Amino acid sequence: AQSVTQLGSHVSVSEGALVLLRCNYSSSVPPYLFWYVQYPNQGLQLLLKYTTGATLVKGINGFEAEFKKSETSFHLTKPSAHMSDAAEYFCAVSEDGGTSYGKLTFGQGTILTVHP
Amino acid sequence: NAGVTQTPKFQVLKTGQSMTLQCAQDMNHEYMSWYRQDPGMGLRLIHYSVGAGITDQGEVPNGYNVSRSTTEDFPLRLLSAAPSQTSVYFCASSFTPGAEAFFGQGTRLTVV
């Protein structure tokens, strides 16, 4: 069965500081991994995804994430936070086989606050 | 290009009433899902479908039914609404399990 754990329901950083949002997953087959962002009263928007190939993936708005199979992690980072990054971020996993085929499972979400 | 369309955007139900949340996509996506979003709980999967005629339960299926008679539509039925079903509901679709999922704008449901 697949699952996602996001460490830290709230993360607060200063503008210009490093953003690090943590995500660990479990999967019985090679996973597809995603980060989505949700701004207030809106739907979800894809930031980046890992399917196969290069383990460091770059997304929109300067975000990137690294797939580490040995640690079952897919942490999201951004070198310098901007006020407009304040939002809720969700890590998600899906599988192209196994008992969870076709399922897209989300973590609990991390609310990012950026202080001036 | 409409993407994923959910209706209605807002709904208030009385306990025990039934209703159907509509979801339609025009991208010819095989994979569709319904989620509910509650504070601190993330998005929890209710039901999902990997193609017309094929549905399966997610994490929180009790009290909800789905069917998928066409590729485009994936309605979610609340059989007998309860206050615990007060939530924001999102429908999503994707072309493959590894592709980006596109989300509707959500339905805010209140059960009184």
Side-chain angles (χ1 to χ4, degrees):
Chain A
Q2 60 186 11
S3 67
V4 178
T5 301
Q6 291 182 237
L7 300 176
S9 57
H10 290 82
V11 170
S12 180
V13 300
S14 298
E15 192 173 19
L18 171 71
V19 175
L20 171 60
L21 305 183
R22 299 177 187 273
C23 172
N24 288 88
Y25 70 91
S26 70
S27 174
S28 57
V29 300
Y32 298 132
L33 296 162
F34 307 83
W35 276 99
Y36 286 85
V37 61
Q38 184 181 35
Y39 298 101
N41 299 314
Q42 294 187 25
L44 277 74
Q45 176 185 0
L46 180 69
L47 273 179
L48 50 77
K49 66 174 183 176
Y50 168 80
T51 53
T52 59
T55 56
L56 181 64
V57 292
K58 296 186 185 299
I60 61 172
N61 302 337
F63 284 94
E64 61 183 37
E66 186 170 11
F67 169 56
K68 291 189 176 180
K69 184 179 178 180
S70 61
E71 299 177 7
T72 61
S73 69
F74 191 57
H75 302 330
L76 181 71
T77 60
K78 181 174 181 177
S80 176
H82 192 273
M83 297 294 289
S84 61
D85 294 328
E88 190 163 14
Y89 292 79
F90 294 93
C91 183
V93 62
S94 71
E95 297 174 356
D96 200 9
T99 57
S100 296
Y101 172 66
K103 251 187 180 179
L104 177 63
T105 300
F106 285 84
Q108 302 93 324
T110 299
I111 294 173
L112 176 66
T113 303
V114 182
H115 297 286
Chain B
N1 189 355
V4 179
T5 303
Q6 282 184 242
T7 56
K9 287 188 170 54
F10 300 93
Q11 183 70 50
V12 178
L13 288 179
K14 293 183 179 178
T15 297
Q17 286 185 315
S18 63
M19 79 159 295
T20 299
L21 306 185
Q22 301 291 344
C23 175
Q25 52 90 10
D26 61 359
M27 298 172 283
N28 202 32
H29 286 172
E30 292 293 334
Y31 299 84
M32 297 187 74
S33 305
W34 275 104
Y35 298 89
R36 59 176 291 173
Q37 184 175 24
D38 304 289
M41 308 286 284
L43 279 81
R44 291 183 291 170
L45 183 63
I46 305 172
H47 287 285
Y48 66 106
S49 170
V50 299
I54 307 170
T55 64
D56 206 347
Q57 295 182 353
E59 187 183 348
V60 289
N62 292 340
Y64 307 95
N65 272 358
V66 292
S67 60
R68 183 100 179 267
S69 55
T70 67
T71 299
E72 294 77 21
D73 300 300
F74 191 43
L76 178 72
R77 297 181 188 84
L78 279 70
L79 308 173
S80 177
S84 61
Q85 294 179 304
T86 293
S87 187
V88 180
Y89 292 83
F90 286 99
C91 178
S93 74
S94 66
F95 190 59
T96 68
E100 175 181 1
F102 291 85
F103 286 80
Q105 286 301 300
T107 295
R108 188 173 294 274
L109 175 68
T110 302
V111 182
V112 298

